[in-house]
Amino acid sequence: MYLFQKIEEMMMRYEDARKTIGDFVLQEQKDLHKYTIGEIAEKTFTSKSTVTRFAKTLGYSGWKSFMKDFVAEQRYQMENKGEADANFPFDQGDSTELIMQKIKQVQIESIEDTYNLMDATMVELAVKHLLNARHIVIFGLSPNIFLGELFRRKMVTIGKQIDIAKLGETGIISRTLTDQDCAIMISYSGNNEFAEPAIHLKNMLNHHVPVIGITSGGDNYIRKSLNCVLTMSSRERLYTKISNFATEESILYILNVLFSCYFAEDYQANKAFKIKNSKLLEYGRIAILKEMQDL
């Protein structure tokens, strides 16, 4: 989780002066380095000690240490900034054609950003966990879990059974897993060890369950806890946005890469299994277009 996301999360938690300072930080994030701590206190009608408390709430010793990381994060964001606004990709009054173009751009940039964040060695480790697993379970919350359902469906078509941990049953399901199984945990923030799905992570690790984390960039609980983490595009704010356009595309791309690399490990066998069962189970489907017909 990046700092700008942690700040937004903190603003939802506290209804005091820290929320006011958080608003100012996010509004002035590109120029925040130009302000002294006294100027920030003056503009937010708070005090220097309150500004310091804001930084300490985020885990820093003071304002200077916070600013060091914040400036570095801003530099990274600017260097990797795309054309599209992941939070508000279209505006009031935009034409249908313009909205179509902008959503396309968000999705393209999300995939490109995710690809740039991926480490082939980490992907190979994740695929190794999947290949060795007797039983695979996906943990996550809505809407991420629906993308996990698409992954489950693809894997079933090549004979690999995967389950989705339903809310209300995640705890008991997590306790059925062993070192012979594998869990996939999808969480954008990845930061609340006392809430779903991360609350079950400690127990699974205690039982040596291989866990693949799919989470945002920056620092968070899941990233600290796991040695196998795939990073989704993390340009969206937690709450202040129209929808999860970029995140959804990023997660789907990661899961498609995992499926494809898994498939490639035994390409001919998986191809034969997929085609044979598709012909047996989908015989009722009729293709009108000649290009879609199997010969």
Side-chain angles (χ1 to χ4, degrees):
M1 180 186 285
Y2 289 115
L3 265 175
F4 74 91
Q5 295 158 341
K6 288 184 178 180
I7 291 169
E8 190 175 19
E9 185 177 59
M10 185 182 71
M11 289 165 60
M12 296 295 294
R13 189 178 304 168
Y14 299 103
E15 291 293 335
D16 55 20
R18 283 169 289 189
K19 178 178 175 64
T20 305
I21 297 170
D23 274 326
F24 179 83
V25 168
L26 293 180
Q27 288 173 8
E28 299 291 330
Q29 54 186 317
K30 294 179 182 178
D31 298 314
L32 192 65
H33 63 282
K34 298 178 182 179
Y35 295 93
T36 66
I37 187 172
E39 289 171 335
I40 293 172
E42 182 180 347
K43 289 185 176 295
T44 56
F45 302 100
T46 58
S47 64
K48 290 182 180 180
S49 61
T50 303
V51 176
T52 300
R53 185 159 60 97
F54 169 87
K56 288 184 175 181
T57 303
L58 292 167
Y60 291 91
S61 59
W63 183 253
K64 286 185 178 180
S65 58
F66 162 77
M67 279 301 300
K68 181 180 178 181
D69 282 358
F70 191 80
V71 169
E73 181 177 298
Q74 284 298 302
R75 186 180 298 115
Y76 170 82
Q77 294 289 340
M78 291 303 296
E79 290 173 352
N80 294 274
K81 182 177 175 60
E83 296 179 11
D85 182 342
N87 298 299
F88 295 93
F90 57 90
D91 302 309
Q92 182 178 356
D94 280 355
S95 66
T96 299
E97 179 65 30
L98 187 54
I99 291 174
M100 290 164 56
Q101 292 176 4
K102 288 183 173 180
I103 295 301
K104 176 194 72 172
Q105 190 65 31
V106 167
Q107 293 182 305
I108 289 173
E109 289 184 6
S110 178
I111 291 176
E112 289 178 341
D113 187 37
T114 308
Y115 169 78
N116 290 332
L117 291 167
M118 293 186 89
D119 179 347
T121 302
M122 194 67 75
V123 173
E124 290 167 0
L125 176 59
V127 173
K128 181 180 178 181
H129 287 330
L130 297 176
L131 288 167
N132 293 337
R134 176 194 62 184
H135 185 206
I136 301 170
V137 179
I138 300 177
F139 295 84
L141 298 177
S142 174
N144 297 339
I145 206 67
F146 297 125
L147 302 173
E149 180 63 35
L150 293 175
F151 177 72
R152 185 201 69 80
R153 176 67 172 78
K154 290 184 178 75
M155 294 291 279
V156 168
T157 65
I158 57 173
K160 188 69 173 183
Q161 183 63 46
I162 292 182
D163 289 325
I164 305 290
K166 297 179 181 179
L167 196 62
E169 299 178 359
T170 53
I172 193 169
I173 290 174
S174 70
R175 283 164 175 75
T176 68
L177 301 179
T178 71
D179 59 356
Q180 302 298 309
D181 305 309
C182 179
I184 300 175
M185 185 166 290
I186 307 174
S187 173
Y188 185 63
S189 72
N191 210 39
N192 193 342
E193 60 185 293
F194 304 109
E196 298 281 355
I199 191 172
H200 307 298
L201 185 55
K202 186 175 181 179
N203 175 72
M204 287 192 286
L205 293 179
N206 286 340
H207 289 85
H208 309 290
V209 179
V211 182
I212 302 167
I214 300 177
T215 189
S216 62
D219 179 35
N220 65 37
Y221 173 69
I222 287 179
R223 188 172 294 281
K224 287 179 179 178
S225 303
L226 300 178
N227 63 0
C228 184
V229 179
L230 301 174
T231 305
M232 66 178 78
S233 182
S234 312
R235 296 177 178 177
E236 289 178 355
R237 291 173 67 168
L238 291 178
Y239 309 107
T240 313
K241 57 188 175 184
I242 291 176
S243 189
N244 302 322
F245 297 121
T247 303
E248 290 169 359
E249 202 64 37
S250 180
I251 295 171
L252 186 59
Y253 174 70
I254 291 172
L255 293 175
N256 281 339
V257 167
L258 288 180
F259 167 75
S260 300
C261 291
Y262 183 98
F263 191 107
E265 286 291 319
D266 198 355
Y267 190 94
Q268 293 301 329
N270 286 327
K271 179 182 177 182
F273 186 95
K274 173 71 168 63
I275 293 174
K276 177 184 178 181
N277 284 282
S278 293
K279 287 181 176 179
L280 288 173
L281 300 175
E282 301 179 23
Y283 61 88
R285 299 178 65 179
I286 300 175
I288 303 299
L289 295 177
K290 183 178 180 180
E291 292 79 1
M292 296 174 62
Q293 296 175 356
D294 279 327
L295 300 178

